[in-house]
């Protein structure tokens, strides 16, 4: 194993209830964050940035069509999103691509006064946190 990779995130696989919607919403977000489309198959798609990739799959083994970020399991994915200005631009543009703000009344410091971040949720209830680089 390459020691530079040890402990780094390899991939995340999200099971989604609607692959076409995920392609639009996740595809827009991940592309804006520097990911590129990687693989595409009948039930899924992946985007890659370096050695990390993110999969959206509409698996036939889904036991529910609803994701609840407040239930046990995945709450959110957090991304380094660049400058404060880039976080602002992503936040504004996200609403045109299926994402809505969470904690809008506390933006951009919902994570505390030292953190500049946006919290967004998509049509399927998946949350992302976009964190400004200092």
């Amino acid at each position: 194993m390459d020691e530079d990779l040890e402990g780094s995130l390899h991939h995340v696989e999200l099971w989604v209830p609607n692959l076409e919607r995920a392609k639009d919403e996740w595809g827009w977000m991940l592309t804006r964050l520097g990911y590129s489309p990687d693989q595409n198959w009948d039930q899924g798609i992946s985007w890659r940035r370096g050695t990390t990739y993110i999969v959206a799959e509409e698996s036939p083994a889904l036991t529910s069509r609803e994701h609840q970020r407040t239930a046990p399991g995945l709450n959110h994915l957090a991304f380094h999103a660049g400058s404060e200005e880039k976080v602002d631009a992503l936040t504004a543009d996200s609403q045109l691509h299926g994402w809505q703000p969470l904690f809008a009344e506390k933006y951009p410091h919902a994570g505390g006064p030292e953190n500049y971040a946006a919290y967004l949720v998509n049509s399927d209830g998946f949350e992302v946190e976009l964190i400004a680089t200092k």
Side-chain angles (χ1 to χ4, degrees), residues 18 20 28 37 39 43 46 76 84 96-97 107 112 129:
N18 183 303
E20 291 308 309
W28 175 83
Q39 296 180 324
Q43 297 168 330
S46 68
H76 69 278
E84 292 178 0
L96 302 172
H97 299 279
Y107 180 76
E129 180 180 356

Side-chain angles (χ1 to χ4, degrees), residues 3 17 33 41 49 53 55 73-74 105 111 129:
E3 289 187 30
L33 292 170
W41 61 101
R49 182 172 180 169
Y53 63 95
V55 174
L74 177 72
E105 69 284 356
E129 180 180 356

Side-chain angles (χ1 to χ4, degrees), residues 50-98:
T51 61
T52 302
Y53 63 95
I54 298 176
V55 174
E57 182 176 357
E58 188 175 350
S59 172
L62 279 172
T63 60
S64 173
R65 301 303 254 170
E66 185 178 321
H67 171 74
Q68 294 184 2
R69 65 180 184 78
T70 57
L74 177 72
N75 177 263
H76 69 278
L77 297 176
F79 295 94
H80 295 284
S83 68
E84 292 178 0
E85 293 79 15
K86 185 166 182 184
V87 170
D88 291 341
L90 284 166
T91 301
D93 293 348
S94 70
Q95 295 176 55
L96 302 172
H97 299 279

